[in-house]
Amino acid sequence: MATVRTRPDPRKLTDDELELFRAFHLMRRGFDRTLDTQLQHDDGISISELEVLMALVRSPGRRLRVRDLVDATGWEKSRVSHQVTRMAARGLVERQECAEDRRATWIHLTGEGRRVVVRALPKHTATIRRILFDALSAEQQEALLEIARTMNAAIIDEGCVPLDEGDD
């Protein structure tokens, strides 16, 4: 007699699914924490600050409107505002009036902010290389890329939009 295979309850994870989820969650959080710790230790900035700085470095004129920074980071407007306030106090960015739209504000990368990025990126990239690329074989990297693309498509299907490829 053939064994009837039942589908698992979609509201619960099987033991194998739970193990995979926990390992994935631990990996993702650990990777983020490793990058943040390295940046804090070596350059005195957080991964969030680097994310804002990199969005500004990539933008024309090294400035973005707040709403564009919200789009670039995927953060809530209030989080962007608080982050920019802290970074402005440290001299990494500055707010400027937007002549084209009086309701908008430009967030501009300062010379100090640019110096921080230039100083931080080589060490940050080396950490990414050690954790992501050196730890995985070429085949594992290809598999991870395919998994990431598949999961990003599933995220879009859920109605969420992953950050653009150029965003960190």
Side-chain angles (χ1 to χ4, degrees):
M1 174 176 245
T3 305
V4 177
R5 187 171 176 171
T6 60
R7 292 185 58 111
D9 183 342
R11 298 166 297 170
K12 297 179 183 177
L13 297 178
T14 66
D15 289 344
D16 289 343
E17 290 170 336
L18 191 55
E19 181 181 6
L20 173 59
F21 173 75
R22 286 180 177 156
F24 175 79
H25 181 73
L26 194 64
M27 176 205 62
R28 185 181 57 82
R29 296 282 309 267
F31 188 60
D32 289 346
R33 285 182 181 166
T34 299
L35 295 178
D36 194 53
T37 299
Q38 176 272 313
L39 284 166
Q40 292 276 359
H41 179 265
D42 291 347
D43 299 292
I45 62 170
S46 69
I47 195 78
S48 297
E49 288 171 319
L50 182 63
E51 191 169 346
V52 170
L53 293 172
M54 290 303 300
L56 293 170
V57 163
R58 293 183 183 121
S59 65
R62 294 196 169 102
R63 67 182 189 168
L64 288 170
R65 291 181 178 143
V66 171
R67 69 173 176 246
D68 297 324
L69 197 49
V70 165
D71 291 341
T73 59
W75 300 347
E76 297 291 327
K77 185 179 178 186
S78 62
R79 179 177 177 195
V80 169
S81 180
H82 290 299
Q83 185 68 57
V84 166
T85 296
R86 288 188 297 272
M87 293 174 72
R90 296 182 55 204
L92 302 174
V93 299
E94 61 186 8
R95 285 185 166 93
Q96 297 175 341
E97 291 184 18
C98 180
E100 300 88 359
D101 182 355
R102 292 183 186 242
R103 295 170 296 166
T105 302
W106 287 109
I107 307 303
H108 186 267
L109 183 68
T110 64
E112 178 60 19
R114 186 176 183 291
R115 282 187 286 282
V116 166
V117 169
V118 168
R119 185 179 66 234
L121 273 182
K123 294 172 275 184
H124 182 65
T125 301
T127 302
I128 293 170
R129 181 164 303 287
R130 281 192 310 277
I131 302 299
L132 179 60
F133 298 104
D134 295 348
L136 300 176
S137 68
E139 294 80 20
Q140 289 172 318
Q141 290 175 36
E142 287 179 34
L144 183 57
L145 178 59
E146 185 60 30
I147 290 166
R149 287 177 175 159
T150 301
M151 288 184 70
N152 282 332
I155 290 166
I156 291 168
D157 288 348
E158 286 290 318
C160 294
V161 180
L163 296 177
D164 292 335
E165 288 183 19
D167 297 333
D168 292 323

